[in-house]
Every structure is written in structure tokens, then in C-alpha cells.
Amino acid sequence: MKPSPNSKIVNLSRVIDSIWRHNRISRVEVAEQLGLDKSTITKIVGLLTEKNLISEVTAKPSNSKGGRPK
């Protein structure tokens, strides 16, 4: 089922609020907090970045076990 335009606005608002409240939060953390798919967060972050409303910072180096951090 395709999300309604209203739900897209609500999700956008929720993501902006989460980023504002938790500076330097990862996409995974936002998705977990809001109960949204990671792909939804990626689309919203892409839009916000494109509009210069947010900027992304590089991830921390991988941990001692290897792999990427959140």
C-alpha cells in the first residue's frame, strides 16, 4: 500500500524532530525510535540534505570487532 501524502508529511516532521532533539543521531537510531523502515529514513534524509536543512557527518571508524558502526 502506497503511503498517503499526509503520512509522508507526518513522517518528515517526525524525522526532523528526532534529529533536532538528538544531535548526531544515526539513520538506524532514527528508524528504531520512530518505528519506520531504514529506507524511509534514507529517503527523508536525502531530501533534507538536498534542501540544505541538515548535513551528514562521517561515521566513526569501525569498532575493534570490525564492520561499520551505527
Side-chain angles (χ1 to χ4, degrees), residues 32-47:
E32 288 172 354
Q33 278 185 358
L34 302 179
L36 296 172
D37 290 339
K38 289 182 277 184
S39 62
T40 300
I41 302 302
T42 297
K43 288 176 188 175
I44 292 171
V45 166
L47 174 68

Side-chain angles (χ1 to χ4, degrees), residues 17-40:
D17 182 65
S18 182
I19 292 169
W20 181 75
R21 290 178 185 272
H22 307 95
N23 193 15
R24 294 190 180 235
I25 189 170
S26 72
R27 293 178 189 193
V28 172
E29 292 168 324
V30 173
E32 288 172 354
Q33 278 185 358
L34 302 179
L36 296 172
D37 290 339
K38 289 182 277 184
S39 62
T40 300

Side-chain angles (χ1 to χ4, degrees), residues 1 3-4 7 22 33 45 47-48 51 62 66:
M1 187 162 98
S4 71
S7 68
H22 307 95
Q33 278 185 358
V45 166
L47 174 68
L48 295 172
K51 300 291 183 185
S62 63

